[in-house]
């Protein structure tokens, strides 16, 4: 919605008939939605059973070492 509103504001000079504002905005909104759907990539979900044991790491370690791991990271430059 925000992108559609921004496009309308940027191109408001291109609107010839002020009575057609609603139709014009709806068309821009539809085009923005279609653009987003085209950009979206398909994601294939793989069940955990299909992965071999060493191919991934749990995001949160159960032993409570997350805090130590984060503190061990080098500071950003």
């Amino acid at each position: 919605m925000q992108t559609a509103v921004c496009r309308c504001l940027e191109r408001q000079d291109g609107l010839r008939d002020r009575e057609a504002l609603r139709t014009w905005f709806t068309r821009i909104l539809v085009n923005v939605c279609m653009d987003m759907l085209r950009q979206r990539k398909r994601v294939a979900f793989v069940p955990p059973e299909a992965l071999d044991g060493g191919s991934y790491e749990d995001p949160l370690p159960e032993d409570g070492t997350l805090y130590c791991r984060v503190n061990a990271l080098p500071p950003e430059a």
Side-chain angles (χ1 to χ4, degrees), residues 9-27:
L9 291 174
E10 290 169 355
R11 299 173 184 163
Q12 64 185 346
D13 295 335
L15 179 62
R16 292 181 220 139
D17 181 13
R18 297 285 177 194
E19 299 294 322
L21 177 65
R22 184 176 184 154
T23 305
W24 182 70
F25 177 73
T26 302
R27 190 70 235 167

Side-chain angles (χ1 to χ4, degrees), residues 22-46:
R22 184 176 184 154
T23 305
W24 182 70
F25 177 73
T26 302
R27 190 70 235 167
I28 290 176
L29 182 61
V30 168
N31 289 338
V32 167
C33 291
M34 294 300 288
D35 289 346
M36 292 179 79
L37 288 173
R38 276 188 222 104
Q39 291 173 359
R40 203 180 271 180
K41 295 179 182 178
R42 292 182 183 239
V43 176
F45 291 99
V46 179

Side-chain angles (χ1 to χ4, degrees), residues 32-77:
V32 167
C33 291
M34 294 300 288
D35 289 346
M36 292 179 79
L37 288 173
R38 276 188 222 104
Q39 291 173 359
R40 203 180 271 180
K41 295 179 182 178
R42 292 182 183 239
V43 176
F45 291 99
V46 179
E49 308 84 50
L51 300 172
D52 58 311
S55 65
Y56 68 96
E57 182 180 336
D58 288 331
L60 294 174
E62 293 183 17
D63 58 0
T65 60
L66 179 62
Y67 180 78
C68 294
R69 290 182 185 185
V70 171
N71 284 335
L73 292 173
E76 289 188 35

